[in-house]
Amino acid sequence: MYMYLFSLPEGLQCSHVPIEMKMKVCILAVALGLGLAHHNSHVKHGRTSIVHLFEWRWADIAQECERYLGPNGYSGVQISPPSENIVVTKPWRPWWERYQPVSHNLCSRSGTEQELRDMIARCNAVGVNIYADAVINHMCSNEGGEGRHSTCGSYFNATKEEFPSVPFTAQDFNDRNCTTRSGNIEDYQDINQVRDCRLVGLLDLAHRREYVRGKIADYMNALIDMGVAGFRVDACKHMWPEDLSAIYGRLHNLNSKWFPAGSKPFIYQEVIDLGGEPIKACEYYEMGRVTEFKYGARLGTVIRKWNGEKLSDLKSWGEDWGLMPSDKALVFVDNHDNQRGHGAGGKSILTFWEPRLYRLATAFMLAHPYGMTRVMSSYRWNRHIVKGKDENDWEGPPSFPDGSTKPVPVTPEGGCGDGWVCEHRWHPIKNMVIFRNVVDGEPLCNWWDNGSNQIAFGRGSRGFIVINNDDWTLDMTLSTGLSGGTYCDVISGQKEGGQCTGKQVTVGKDGRAHFRISSSDSDPFVAIHTDSKL
Ligand code: AAO
């Protein structure tokens, strides 16, 4: 049954499937209650955007929820994997050690189980949801050795595939189903390899086994009971959809202390689908949202003006560009992988290293109705690119000599110190998160472009954005869809104490307003919304 519902025969997958057959599959899935159970993100107070606080300590996230994320309308936080992982010392404490679990104990570089519990409760109390990064495809690498070099000191033996803290033993891994000589994935064109062999040597769990499904569900349920609102599920391409469906089917409802009774956890699944491989993102749509990696790659290309692409091309941005249906997509300009050359997306990806274009890309993403948006929050590393490859792409978060992660200090200007970038606190990004909340549910309208890199669009009668990515001044009077009055631009400033701290925009009774944006402005875009009206 599961096979039929979720794993369509090769050659018949997704876009090849006649629409009537897709409809039948969907209707059947919904009828069986397997349908859209995990698509509700349970955001509170009409909030819309989550932030990935990559590698932050639980104690800092708790504070950030209370002092910044709650008050500024962020809906949730994606946290780094909370499960116990291998401690890697060569290279020294790379960030990616957290993608090599050795048990389901909840102590990590981000803190103890008690700190995790405290953080979840405090964030929930201010209406900020927590989404945990669940690494359930695999355990540590086959080269992980033996011993207690793990974040809670649990013993494991990678060579023998023994993880007594769970416990998992050799029979719980996929080796017998993998046909490659190395035991690793060697060819992404072979579906069986991708799902039954080891991703870069990581010991691949046999999710077909009831026992394995049960242990993974127990782990996720422990987090649900603590109060998380859902999960980013890591490496979903490498798991059979029917196995994931069976695991999700075992999950508890969310903790009714903070969520309405009967709420299912929100799930967004990491599947890298840039086209060109037989495994398609759409195989996972029924079970939850899916990461849309084409989004950042394509948007980066347009904003960089590569291949003659221009902002005005974005008039049809969305499904027409080959992106997945909006209500299935989790979108982002960059993520923790592709900001440092891991994963996929390629060279067009914009990151905080190019702050001006990055703010522009993020503002566009937050203004545009497509998808559910995730803002990235990073730390600086000693970027050192040799022949196109970053030699220091492994560097872990700002830390003390003993490897423990440094706290995130907030500067008097409201930014972050000690190597933490805090893009989510950058003024235009923070204010565009608020913009997205204000215009939530409103259609895109009043599109204007100059046929080049100057564009503008509104969201119903609630918000309007104008962007100039050309090398000359934008000087136009445009229909905004907003009611007449004076609005504060939320990019150069904002509304404070009944005044604008930055530019002011006057909308006439006819809804039209004059905009002038120099190409040399530090942020060449202007945004106004109903809450920024004087
Ligand atoms: C580390 C070391 C390895 C070592 C291993 C075991 O770096 O050298 O062998 O330990 O000792 C992270 C790091 C890894 C790290 C791992 C474990 O990124 O470097 O390995 O922790 O510590 C694939 C997966 C995707 C995965 C991505 C990184 O499909 O799920 O690789 N992302 C997640 C996490 C990530 C994490 C893991 C999974 C593992 O977000 O942080 O890894 O838990 C193609 C495929 C993609 C594939 C990429 C990269 O992409 O389509 O599915 O992602 O290759 O291999 C064009 C194509 C595009 C293609 C791309 C790159 O753009 O259009 O499709 O080229 O070839």
Side-chain angles (χ1 to χ4, degrees), residues 95-96 99-100 138 141 188 199-200 202 232 234-235 237-238 270 272 274 277 336-337 342-344:
W95 62 270
W96 46 252
Y99 290 89
Q100 300 199 30
H138 51 262
S141 149
Y188 272 85
L199 167 64
V200 294
L202 301 164
R232 169 213 187 243
D234 183 64
K237 182 191 278 184
H238 306 280
E270 189 227 15
I272 298 176
L274 293 174
E277 288 177 24
H336 72 281
D337 283 325
H342 285 236

Side-chain angles (χ1 to χ4, degrees), residues 217-228:
D218 288 349
Y219 163 58
M220 295 172 81
N221 281 331
L223 291 164
I224 290 171
D225 295 347
M226 285 168 84
V228 304

Side-chain angles (χ1 to χ4, degrees), residues 365-370 435-436 438-446 457-465 480-482:
M365 173 181 82
L366 291 167
H368 195 279
Y370 180 88
F435 177 105
R436 191 175 190 79
V438 172
V439 303
D440 188 29
E442 297 289 327
L444 190 152
C445 54
N446 290 306
F457 59 93
R459 296 290 303 278
S461 57
R462 299 191 63 83
F464 195 72
I465 186 166
T480 66
L482 273 64

Side-chain angles (χ1 to χ4, degrees), residues 102-141:
V102 299
S103 85
H104 294 154
N105 298 333
L106 295 170
C107 43
S108 64
R109 231 175 160 186
S110 286
T112 64
E113 177 171 342
Q114 191 43 46
E115 287 165 327
L116 175 68
R117 193 180 292 279
D118 176 65
M119 177 265 287
I120 295 169
R122 286 166 62 188
C123 291
N124 278 335
V126 293
V128 180
N129 291 340
I130 298 296
Y131 304 106
D133 194 347
V135 184
I136 58 172
N137 171 61
H138 51 262
M139 300 300 278
C140 68
S141 149

Side-chain angles (χ1 to χ4, degrees), residues 6 26-27 29-42 264-267 284-289 327-328:
F6 295 111
C26 295
I27 291 166
V30 173
L32 291 173
L34 300 168
L36 303 173
H38 301 287
H39 291 78
N40 183 338
S41 55
H42 307 293
K264 302 274 178 218
F266 175 53
I267 288 179
Y284 298 82
Y285 292 169
E286 291 305 314
M287 298 183 292
R289 282 202 187 236
D327 62 345
K328 300 293 183 286

